[in-house]
Every structure is written in structure tokens, then in C-alpha cells.
Amino acid sequence: MSNKPLQILEISSSARQDGSVTRQLCADLIAALEDRHGPVDITRRNLGNGVPVLNEAWIEANFTPDEDRTPHHLETLAYSDELVDELKNTDVLVIGAPVYNFSIAATLKSWIDMIARARLTFRYTDNGPHGLLEGKKAYVLVATGGVPVGSPMDFATPYLRHALSFVGITDVEIIAAEGGNNNAEEAMDRARSQIAEAVHLSAKAA
């Protein structure tokens, strides 16, 4: 049995640095995982500080074969490469995803754009794309003011499930603090109950 600590990658996308529901829920989940599994190694990526968006230079660099890339291409892709390496090296992905205007934060979409890389996180086959990051667990901590998760107005969680599945992460647990505009405390309590149940069931499955 390996004594290697559980590798956790936390992706925080709330625009709020303080008072963020999703940041608090991420902290609660990671604490629960640590209680269950013992010491963990945590890599934190705070998207609230900004994420580069795709542009023409990035696309050119990404689609240039590895052997033909110039130093400028490598510099252009360096941030994306760092994000991909973080994701490859993790066992558990924890994403804080507040719902803004029915969908995810623009920074989280940019993170997905940066890690969806052919030959690195997925490959094309005769049967369509195949994700290369299999065997990882993802928890998505969602906070909404009024949009019910799973409703026709929720464009956030279906997109995240699909995007993660595209790169091979199919074991995705959605934990939601819904309806925070009406009763924030109750929404947090419900989400914390979901965290306790999800971590308990995950440990039993292991």
C-alpha cells in the first residue's frame, strides 16, 4: 500500500477573494479529505487573479508541431504547460465554481481553454476524441444565488461535466450551495452535508 500523500489540485474561480462561498466550500472539502485520507499535498491555482485568454499567437504556437516550435512559441505556451502539468500530477481535482449569469466565470472557461490540449490531455481517434487524464476524481463546488443546479437555466454544471469528461475526468461530483440569495446559511449547511456524504462514500469505494 502506497504511503504517498493524496495530491489535490484546487482551482478557485470566484471573483471574490474574501467572503466567497465556493472558496469556503473548497476549504471544507479539502479539510474533509484530509481527515479521511491523512496528510495531503495541495496545489492551489487562484483564477481570481486573472487567466490569459486564447489569442492568435497562442493558437499558432499550440498547433505548431513540437519539433518546430520557436522560443517564442514555447514562451507563449509556458503558462498553459504549467496548468496541464498541475492537472496531470493530481489525484483529486477540486473546483470552486460560482454561477455567474447562468454559467461559469470567464476565468474558469479560460482555464479549460488552456488545459484542453490535443496530445497532452486528449487525443483524436477514429472514434472521436479520447481523454488522457483518466483515473482522477473531481469535486465541483457550485454556489448559486437563485439558479437551481440541473435546471434548464443551469449552463454551468453540464458544461463542466462535459469539459472534464473530454479530457478523461469522468468521476465528477457536483456539490451545490443553491439559493444563496434567499437563505445563505441554509444553502451552506446543505452543501456541507453533501461534502460529508460525498467524502464518506468516496472512502468506502476506495
Side-chain angles (χ1 to χ4, degrees):
M1 183 174 179
S2 174
N3 292 321
K4 179 184 175 184
L6 191 70
Q7 305 295 309
I8 297 176
L9 173 60
E10 178 189 6
I11 304 294
S12 300
S13 65
S14 175
R16 292 180 176 177
Q17 300 296 330
D18 299 311
S20 163
V21 170
T22 55
R23 290 181 192 275
Q24 182 58 59
L25 291 177
C26 285
D28 292 345
L29 174 64
I30 291 171
L33 289 171
E34 192 164 16
D35 285 344
R36 178 64 64 173
H37 297 280
V40 298
D41 284 343
I42 307 170
T43 299
R44 291 185 167 91
R45 180 63 66 169
N46 184 4
L47 306 185
N49 293 328
V51 182
V53 297
L54 295 190
N55 56 25
E56 187 173 5
W58 191 95
I59 292 172
E60 177 189 335
N62 187 48
F63 282 94
T64 298
D66 293 356
E67 63 273 15
D68 296 330
R69 285 176 181 161
T70 66
H72 177 67
H73 287 147
L74 297 177
E75 181 181 357
T76 300
L77 293 173
Y79 181 83
S80 173
D81 289 341
E82 185 177 343
L83 298 184
V84 169
D85 285 343
E86 288 176 351
L87 195 51
K88 282 183 174 181
N89 293 328
T90 197
D91 302 311
V92 177
L93 175 64
V94 177
I95 299 178
V99 175
Y100 294 146
N101 300 314
F102 313 106
S103 190
I104 60 174
T107 51
L108 185 52
K109 172 59 167 67
S110 292
W111 178 82
I112 291 169
D113 290 339
M114 289 283 162
I115 61 92
R117 299 270 302 275
R119 303 181 304 280
L120 292 182
T121 58
F122 74 93
R123 62 184 174 88
Y124 293 107
T125 73
D126 292 339
N127 297 317
H130 175 77
L132 300 176
L133 302 180
E134 296 170 313
K136 302 181 187 297
K137 172 75 177 184
Y139 295 94
V140 179
L141 289 305
V142 178
T144 78
V147 174
V149 171
S151 74
M153 295 182 290
D154 170 21
F155 296 94
T157 60
Y159 172 74
L160 287 172
R161 281 191 184 278
H162 183 80
L164 293 172
S165 175
F166 184 74
V167 296
I169 303 174
T170 56
D171 187 0
V172 180
E173 186 88 30
I174 305 292
I175 295 170
E178 300 179 80
N181 288 347
N182 296 322
N183 194 318
E185 188 173 339
E186 283 188 10
M188 288 290 284
D189 286 344
R190 288 193 297 270
R192 285 174 172 140
S193 294
Q194 293 173 52
I195 287 172
E197 182 179 1
V199 172
H200 176 69
L201 290 176
S202 177
K204 286 181 65 176

